[in-house]
Amino acid sequence: MKTYLKLILLFSITSPAFAQSEFKTKQLSFERVKTAYTEKWTNLQKELTQAGIKGVFKLYLAAYKSEGKLELWLQSGKEKTYKLFKTYNFCAHSGMLGPKIKEGDLQTPEGFYSINVFNPESKFHLSLGVDYPNEIDTQRSGQEKPGGDIYIHGNCVTVGCIPLTDEKIKEVYVLAVEAKNAGQLQIPVHVFPFKMTQQNLNKYLVQFPAQKAFWKNLQPGYAYFERRNVPPNIVMQKDKYLFK
């Protein structure tokens, strides 16, 4: 019997569900996260119910540089597709349209990423790290250092990140913690130069013709989600994204 109980305890400690539950508990040990939950979670739960999001959910983030918008899409437990839950305005801008090339260029990256850091003690209030650079970014940078430390954060300043007000980052952070705590291993963050309709692409290529090949490679990823309301599976092959 003792051996059996030990096996149950070992399984519960090492299982993904236990690890995810521990993640939220650890996050709530930080004062800013606890405050964010106190101030935002009750109202967010009401909004989730009103939006038809029941129980646990997955999170997908889409950012549009020209429009200065960050969209939060959620997929509730049994649903096959994501639905738009909230849209936040960037509260500051840095650089211009086009991808980030090197450290210090003030550019916000463009491409397909995911959240890789939850920082509850950020100097920008709360922050969610974006896993830039990816393989394509590194290849594009060539001999230059591609840079890093790209975050979605508060404090309304930026040198290439995606900045929100402190009040808005509290909501985004809480929703991201909930998604990860429910078992979502990767939270996608897709950063586009603009809403990548053919009309917009033609419009912006007049001003930024050098980005034609790169943006035309991003466009199918944008179109995939627009058609299906599900993020594509993404493969990086040499200097191109492939979507499945």
Side-chain angles (χ1 to χ4, degrees), residues 14-69:
T14 56
S15 69
F18 183 90
Q20 295 299 328
S21 177
E22 285 296 292
F23 172 77
K24 181 177 177 179
T25 299
K26 184 174 181 179
Q27 285 290 314
L28 284 169
S29 70
F30 293 95
E31 192 62 33
R32 292 180 194 171
V33 180
K34 185 165 62 176
T35 298
Y37 266 87
T38 299
E39 294 179 358
K40 303 295 183 181
W41 185 223
T42 297
N43 192 58
L44 281 172
Q45 287 177 300
K46 292 178 182 177
E47 292 179 318
L48 287 165
T49 299
Q50 292 169 358
I53 306 295
K54 300 178 181 179
V56 299
F57 55 81
K58 291 182 179 179
L59 172 64
Y60 162 68
L61 303 174
Y64 301 95
K65 291 167 56 173
S66 180
E67 292 86 350
K69 302 288 186 182

Side-chain angles (χ1 to χ4, degrees), residues 163-205:
L164 307 174
T165 64
D166 288 356
E167 294 307 304
K168 298 307 182 187
I169 192 60
K170 288 175 186 176
E171 294 187 3
V172 179
Y173 199 94
V174 165
L175 291 168
V177 168
E178 287 296 314
K180 183 173 176 63
N181 195 64
Q184 186 175 4
L185 299 180
Q186 283 196 327
I187 299 175
V189 182
H190 296 175
V191 186
F192 299 102
F194 43 81
K195 292 272 189 177
M196 301 203 75
T197 63
Q198 191 60 45
Q199 182 179 5
N200 277 345
L201 185 62
N202 294 340
K203 170 186 171 181
Y204 286 107
L205 281 177

Side-chain angles (χ1 to χ4, degrees), residues 105-119:
D105 63 6
L106 305 183
Q107 288 290 97
T108 300
E110 296 172 7
F112 301 93
Y113 308 100
S114 60
I115 297 298
N116 66 344
V117 174
F118 286 73
N119 186 355

